[in-house]
Amino acid sequence: MYGFLVEIMDPAEILNVRFHFGGQFIRIGPSLDYVGGETGMSKIERDKLSLQELKGFLGDHMTVKESMKYYFQLPGRDLVNGLLFLHDDGGCMKMSDYITEGGVGEIYVEYNGEEEEQGEIDSGSDFEDELDELMNIGSEEEPDAVITAEDCSAEVNDNVNATEQTGTAGEIIEHIFVPDVGGAITRVINSPLKQNVRVDYPTQSSQVLNVSQPCQAAQDISGSVAKVAENGSDSEDYEYVPHTDDSGEESEVVEMRKHARKFRKKMGDSKMWADADATGAVPIDLVANVEEVVEDMEFESSDEDYSYDEDEDGNMVRRKSQFVRFNPDSDIPHFSLGMVFKSKKQLTRAMKRYGLATKRSISFLKSEEARVRAKCDWPGCPWMLYAAKTSRCSRFQIITFEDEHQCAQNRDNKLVTAKVIAKRYEHFILANPLWKIGSMKATVMKDMFADVSISKCKAAKKLVLDQLMSGMKSEYNKVFDYQLELLRSNPGSTVAVCLDPKEKEENIFQQFYVCFNAMKQGFKAGCRKVIGLYDCFFKGACQGELLDAIARDANNQMYPVAWAVVEKETNESWAWFIGLLIKDLDINDQGAGWVFISDKQKGLINSMRDYLPKAEHRMCARHIYANWRKKHKDQKLQKRFWVIAKSANREDFNYNKAKLAQLTPEGAKDIMKTDPKHWARAFFPIGANCESVDNNLCESFNNAIIEARFYPIISQQEKIRKKMMVRVQEQKTKSEKWNGIICPNIFKKIKANIKRTQFLEVLWNGKDGFEVKHLNSRGMRYIVNLEKWTCSCGYFQLAGLPCCHAICAIYKSGRKVEDFIDKCYYIDTFKKNY
Ligand SMILES: [Zn+2]
Ligand SMILES: [Zn+2]
């Protein structure tokens, strides 16, 4: 068709254009380049020329997107100072004027693929709001030890130089590609130049960029980049690096973070109220205990075996009962005639809860061994309940029940005792010992509709604080008893109590370590040799720090192995903790083959050097980022940082670091202040089956137990123990419903990788393996070796999970993906963990 046109048309009426598309504007040194992509020629009739027409012709070469931008390169000029933004038909006419007969108009297409990328970016865990959270935690921490990379600085410079030599750009650009929602590899990201145009010249139809001043252009670009970042309105310079998606622990990490954030907010808000000289009521959602419901459940499990019988074969069968059983899980207890309770205690507790919830004062008239009679205190109100022990067993049954109140809510509710008040506001009082009694009284009125006396409020407060004080005094004396009790009830566990060596005679407790046998055995039965180490402070009136060692289960979720209470995180306390850990987990050969992930605690680093010199020591990239960001605040650098940390091979690492250097040479230098072997995937040794660059699982543990950190040692340890035991049980139950071979979080990752394979092609396979090529991008190629379980992208061997390239090769060879997933991710392994 076009050929025909050309033949009959006057050549002067034809405009030759060369589209450059699928590439990206990249600033290299003082010059601007359009790297990657392809070119395509079109012949356009000059008198029909319009922006729409231009897009139509581009459509012959590629799929045109609405958000694409077009630039015309003025003849004889460089990209850096000679681009004309084709914004409307006028711009196109101007272009036509520049191109004489026989000349070719060079048009550069820019596309940053906003819509397509969004899903991919959101799935990452490393972005903003969570880091704010990290900042909060960070403020409690001591400054980092500085670990300087020995020989990395030389390497940095080499890399930057390598990029500046444009000759190498050809290899580098192969790594830039962007998947859309469906995993399709669309192309091109964006460039500083585009932002310049958009921000500085949004209303002008077309604009020649700094035709005469290349230096000025560079400044404008950086200035407008900053502006864009401030506005936060523009899409970022996102870039896809294979397998940056999270390590699968996500859901729990996020859940725990939410839990802790909610708790911290509550504590912060409550402090505001308590500090004010207020007599007003504190908002109710601030005062009620977060964990109240959980504690209730311990007493009243609905799953009691009294409703089961054994059949002839010894199987448990649910007993059919003609009577309704009491449901302890409902918010307001509900009663009915004939209802059965498992004990008298359950019944009286239920009635108290009922009275508190409905604001009725219920009193118990007759409280004998075998019967209970309760009535509403309001004069003349007919509500009453009578229950007695049944003949069959110790169960209680409602015999008489009058469910009608002829009363109003009772301000004089006798059920609201000092003890009830103490229990309900325990956390608030612990966190705010200076809470004013007047405000407390007003709060009880608003919250429980009970007009209690000042002295009752004082008594309640005293109860909580006395318990805390006596706890702090007596609990420390009882540590040895607690140690014995734990050892008795958990045989095989390690519970170590360390005395203060300076006060030997006094038996002053100094440190407490516990590693439960269940966790120890579960760890040895199938956890990878990957341990996160962490420390956090106690809260409230209690002094001390908690050290913990958190492994990961087969489903990539936290698996707390051991924890310890110490006065302070120091060289000595870490050495002591690590020493016990080495013994409990049978860590041999100075830690060879083990991975430890931590923040940058000085004492810990020293202990690692002294006791585990052969272990791999990763340092949480979130932590490193948080420090780096103090100096390099620009929001858009955040993504750059993570892309670098998660690049799984040196080439990608160097390339992405060079790209960062384009934005901030100083930032790229600073990033290397911590040796990348501690935080960048590309430098991690192979063999641990863990690609994680962060210490999120430790953070999760500490978020999960945040309430416990307000209590003195034994109460605290009991709360942690219970919480962890409940979790073990939950994990066990959860896994019974799983089907297949691979744990669900892992399967999710595999599914994502499988999806990516639709845009890959196996080029050849020989005895050494497969070469796999990306179809839609610039044809990046990777070598997969299925015998050795490796891919040159670096991910397969690091994670023990096949990357998209490996999966592609697996399919090609007619084998099964499951056969290339390490057993550490199997459901069977998970079941051994718990
Ligand atoms: Zn009543
Ligand atoms: Zn790969």
Side-chain angles (χ1 to χ4, degrees):
M1 180 66 188
Y2 298 128
F4 172 72
L5 268 178
V6 173
E7 276 164 33
I8 63 160
M9 300 269 316
D10 178 354
E13 293 307 299
I14 296 295
L15 175 65
N16 295 309
V17 299
R18 182 183 289 120
F19 289 107
H20 301 251
F21 57 91
Q24 180 188 16
F25 283 112
I26 288 188
R27 169 168 291 278
I28 295 168
S31 74
L32 184 71
D33 269 348
Y34 187 81
V35 291
E38 302 164 52
T39 59
M41 290 292 295
S42 290
K43 292 174 185 295
I44 305 173
E45 291 174 72
R46 285 184 194 258
D47 58 1
K48 286 186 184 164
L49 184 61
S50 68
L51 192 63
Q52 213 45 48
E53 187 78 355
L54 199 69
K55 289 180 186 174
F57 277 94
L58 177 62
D60 295 336
H61 306 291
M62 69 178 300
T63 311
V64 179
K65 302 265 176 170
E66 212 31 62
S67 54
M68 284 176 175
K69 300 276 178 289
Y70 309 92
Y71 302 92
F72 164 54
Q73 183 180 16
L74 295 170
R77 291 214 203 264
D78 293 326
L79 288 182
V80 74
N81 64 7
L83 285 181
L84 182 74
F85 182 29
L86 296 177
H87 187 259
D88 57 10
D89 299 345
C92 294
M93 295 321 293
K94 212 178 249 175
M95 169 175 75
S96 182
D97 293 340
Y98 271 104
I99 306 298
T100 48
E101 188 187 338
V104 176
E106 308 285 348
I107 296 176
Y108 292 87
V109 181
E110 189 190 19
Y111 173 55
N112 65 342
E114 299 98 328
E115 313 88 5
E116 281 82 352
E117 267 175 19
Q118 211 48 53
E120 199 66 33
I121 293 303
D122 283 349
S123 73
S125 70
D126 305 305
F127 301 124
E128 203 43 41
D129 52 339
E130 291 134 21
L131 270 153
D132 282 345
E133 195 63 23
L134 180 77
M135 297 308 169
N136 292 338
I137 300 167
S139 61
E140 292 177 0
E141 288 169 0
E142 290 188 21
D144 280 337
V146 176
I147 302 168
T148 316
E150 289 97 304
D151 47 9
C152 288
S153 48
E155 205 184 319
V156 191
N157 294 335
D158 288 354
N159 295 334
V160 174
N161 291 339
T163 322
E164 278 169 2
Q165 295 156 9
T166 46
T168 60
E171 294 143 40
I172 288 168
I173 52 164
E174 289 200 338
H175 298 268
I176 310 169
F177 60 103
V178 181
D180 67 16
V181 193
I185 309 298
T186 59
R187 41 219 96 191
V188 186
I189 305 123
N190 89 21
S191 76
L193 193 65
K194 180 207 73 186
Q195 288 163 342
N196 192 6
V197 173
R198 194 178 287 174
V199 175
D200 289 346
Y201 315 104
T203 52
Q204 285 165 307
S205 61
S206 61
Q207 176 74 44
V208 178
L209 292 179
N210 306 297
V211 175
S212 57
Q213 289 170 295
C215 295
Q216 183 62 36
Q219 281 167 15
D220 284 352
I221 286 165
S222 57
S224 60
V225 165
K227 243 182 259 172
V228 169
E230 275 167 29
N231 296 339
S233 59
D234 207 344
S235 72
E236 297 285 339
D237 187 7
Y238 295 149
E239 178 165 326
Y240 178 70
V241 167
H243 312 290
T244 51
D245 50 347
D246 229 83
S247 36
E249 61 269 31
E250 232 11 42
S251 55
E252 194 179 44
V253 170
V254 170
E255 190 189 315
M256 289 306 153
R257 232 171 243 160
K258 252 188 223 154
H259 170 80
R261 186 181 299 149
K262 209 169 122 194
F263 185 79
R264 265 191 223 110
K265 182 173 185 316
K266 202 162 146 173
M267 284 301 143
D269 290 352
S270 72
K271 194 173 179 324
M272 233 169 58
W273 273 94
D275 288 351
D277 189 23
T279 49
V282 176
I284 304 311
D285 57 323
L286 288 183
V287 284
N289 283 343
V290 178
E291 296 214 306
E292 201 173 34
V293 182
V294 178
E295 303 214 341
D296 251 16
M297 271 161 50
E298 283 167 27
F299 297 105
E300 296 183 22
S301 162
S302 56
D303 240 8
E304 290 293 325
D305 59 2
Y306 69 94
S307 64
Y308 291 86
D309 273 337
E310 278 184 31
D311 66 11
E312 298 105 65
D313 303 325
N315 296 319
M316 298 302 276
V317 290
R318 198 169 200 119
R319 182 192 298 149
K320 287 197 187 87
S321 170
Q322 66 203 94
F323 299 115
V324 188
R325 278 189 307 139
F326 171 64
N327 171 18
D329 294 336
S330 62
D331 285 344
I332 301 176
H334 171 82
F335 306 102
S336 63
L337 199 61
M339 185 180 265
V340 171
F341 294 79
K342 69 182 184 205
S343 66
K344 187 178 149 193
K345 193 176 162 195
Q346 190 192 35
L347 172 61
T348 50
R349 274 181 64 96
M351 278 193 284
K352 283 179 187 167
R353 270 180 56 213
Y354 166 83
L356 288 170
T358 58
K359 276 92 174 165
R360 257 75 189 205
S361 181
I362 305 293
S363 54
F364 298 90
L365 302 178
K366 208 171 227 154
S367 193
E368 293 162 16
E369 183 64 26
R371 32 196 182 156
V372 178
R373 185 188 292 273
K375 73 174 241 333
C376 178
D377 271 347
W378 195 279
C381 178
W383 191 94
M384 69 83 67
L385 187 152
Y386 173 71
K389 210 174 194 173
T390 58
S391 52
R392 282 183 55 194
C393 56
S394 67
R395 292 184 293 153
F396 264 68
Q397 187 171 31
I398 299 181
I399 309 289
T400 316
F401 181 46
E402 177 53 60
D403 194 16
E404 197 200 337
H405 281 285
Q406 289 175 7
C407 61
Q409 297 191 340
N410 198 338
R411 287 168 65 99
D412 183 26
N413 193 337
K414 292 191 183 69
L415 293 175
V416 184
T417 59
K419 216 169 148 188
V420 165
I421 297 171
K423 181 107 185 91
R424 182 152 177 87
Y425 306 118
E426 187 183 23
H427 270 295
F428 193 85
I429 296 168
L430 282 179
N432 308 286
L434 300 179
W435 191 17
K436 308 278 184 303
I437 295 293
S439 168
M440 191 170 168
K441 183 173 153 56
T443 305
V444 174
M445 184 67 223
K446 189 176 163 195
D447 184 22
M448 300 201 250
F449 198 74
D451 190 12
V452 294
S453 64
I454 289 285
S455 60
K456 200 181 254 182
C457 289
K458 280 184 179 163
K461 194 169 166 183
K462 191 165 180 303
L463 270 175
V464 174
L465 294 177
D466 279 358
Q467 196 186 11
L468 175 73
M469 292 317 287
S470 79
M472 281 164 58
K473 265 185 265 157
S474 70
E475 288 204 356
Y476 284 86
N477 295 327
K478 287 185 201 139
V479 163
F480 290 102
D481 297 338
Y482 184 62
Q483 177 192 28
L484 289 176
E485 174 53 28
L486 284 182
L487 288 171
R488 189 194 58 76
S489 50
N490 303 276
S493 301
T494 306
V495 184
V497 177
C498 183
L499 297 174
D500 191 336
K502 281 167 280 176
E503 311 197 40
K504 267 250 151 68
E505 325 234 304
E506 300 271 329
N507 273 2
I508 301 287
F509 148 85
Q510 194 191 31
Q511 293 171 153
F512 182 86
Y513 166 98
V514 57
C515 171
F516 286 109
N517 191 45
M519 306 312 279
K520 204 192 300 187
Q521 298 311 328
F523 175 84
K524 288 179 187 170
C527 285
R528 283 158 279 171
K529 294 177 171 177
V530 179
I531 303 279
L533 298 169
Y534 203 79
D535 70 281
C536 65
F537 288 94
F538 289 6
K539 295 193 171 275
C542 304
Q543 301 279 311
E545 272 184 72
L546 199 64
L547 309 183
D548 40 67
I550 312 297
R552 51 198 62 218
D553 63 28
N555 196 30
N556 264 356
Q557 295 195 308
M558 66 168 173
Y559 191 86
V561 184
W563 51 90
V565 172
V566 298
E567 276 178 324
K568 208 174 171 328
E569 169 255 326
T570 60
N571 273 343
E572 288 73 29
S573 56
W574 275 118
W576 176 74
F577 185 70
I578 299 263
L580 286 161
L581 210 55
I582 287 174
K583 215 165 135 257
D584 274 331
L585 304 186
D586 296 332
I587 304 175
N588 297 316
D589 192 19
Q590 302 184 314
W594 288 74
V595 178
F596 291 85
I597 311 176
S598 72
D599 291 345
K600 290 167 88 180
Q601 304 93 330
K602 230 179 264 174
L604 174 57
I605 288 166
N606 292 338
S607 295
M608 289 290 299
R609 188 197 52 216
D610 295 346
Y611 300 103
L612 297 164
K614 290 188 190 165
E616 179 190 346
H617 191 181
R618 297 184 191 171
M619 292 172 189
C620 181
R622 287 171 63 86
H623 188 89
I624 289 176
Y625 172 72
N627 275 304
W628 182 74
R629 160 177 142 143
K630 284 175 193 159
K631 206 165 141 196
H632 307 282
K633 290 186 169 55
D634 190 343
Q635 168 66 59
K636 75 180 296 180
L637 299 178
Q638 184 178 14
K639 277 120 199 152
R640 289 267 147 242
F641 175 89
W642 287 105
V643 165
I644 293 169
K646 292 187 171 183
S647 297
N649 61 73
R650 301 285 174 100
E651 253 191 349
D652 284 346
F653 178 88
N654 288 337
Y655 170 65
N656 287 312
K657 190 156 61 62
K659 284 204 70 183
L660 174 71
Q662 289 170 356
L663 293 171
T664 161
E666 204 190 348
K669 212 183 243 172
D670 286 349
I671 214 173
M672 299 300 279
K673 277 187 178 163
T674 305
D675 189 328
K677 77 177 184 190
H678 294 303
W679 57 272
R681 271 183 193 166
F683 295 81
F684 294 163
I686 307 305
N689 293 324
C690 177
E691 78 277 28
S692 190
V693 295
D694 56 49
N695 206 6
N696 284 352
L697 297 193
C698 280
E699 186 209 331
S700 283
F701 175 75
N702 286 293
N703 284 340
I705 60 159
I706 189 162
E707 293 92 344
R709 285 151 63 187
F710 278 90
Y711 291 85
I713 178 160
I714 294 177
S715 316
Q716 175 198 75
Q717 287 297 308
E718 267 304 278
K719 279 175 193 291
I720 296 174
R721 188 187 64 82
K722 276 185 193 156
K723 194 138 201 166
M724 288 306 125
M725 293 305 146
V726 167
R727 188 171 179 281
V728 166
Q729 203 49 50
E730 284 170 356
Q731 296 285 77
K732 233 183 226 171
T733 316
K734 213 166 67 181
S735 69
E736 279 159 17
K737 295 180 195 133
W738 293 348
N739 298 312
I741 302 171
I742 313 299
C743 288
N745 281 343
I746 311 304
F747 190 56
K748 221 188 279 171
K749 293 164 80 165
I750 293 292
K751 276 197 291 194
N753 289 351
I754 289 176
K755 207 167 178 190
R756 292 189 178 113
T757 61
Q758 59 182 312
F759 306 102
L760 299 176
E761 174 187 55
V762 174
L763 290 184
W764 51 261
N765 51 11
K767 69 176 187 333
D768 290 336
F770 302 77
E771 182 169 9
V772 180
K773 182 188 172 187
H774 284 263
L775 285 179
N776 297 25
S777 68
R778 271 148 301 284
M780 297 160 60
R781 291 161 191 222
Y782 293 105
I783 310 288
V784 175
N785 185 322
L786 290 182
E787 301 315 311
K788 293 182 180 159
W789 286 34
T790 60
C791 175
S792 56
C793 82
Y795 182 88
F796 190 8
Q797 53 272 42
L798 186 64
L801 287 172
C803 56
C804 53
H805 319 111
I807 290 173
C808 206
I810 292 165
Y811 282 151
K812 185 84 178 176
S813 63
R815 296 162 83 173
K816 280 193 294 190
V817 173
E818 301 93 275
D819 295 340
F820 294 90
I821 295 172
D822 196 277
K823 288 205 167 48
C824 68
Y825 299 115
Y826 281 21
I827 291 174
D828 279 350
T829 308
F830 186 90
K831 288 179 174 166
K832 282 179 204 155
N833 291 154
Y834 294 101

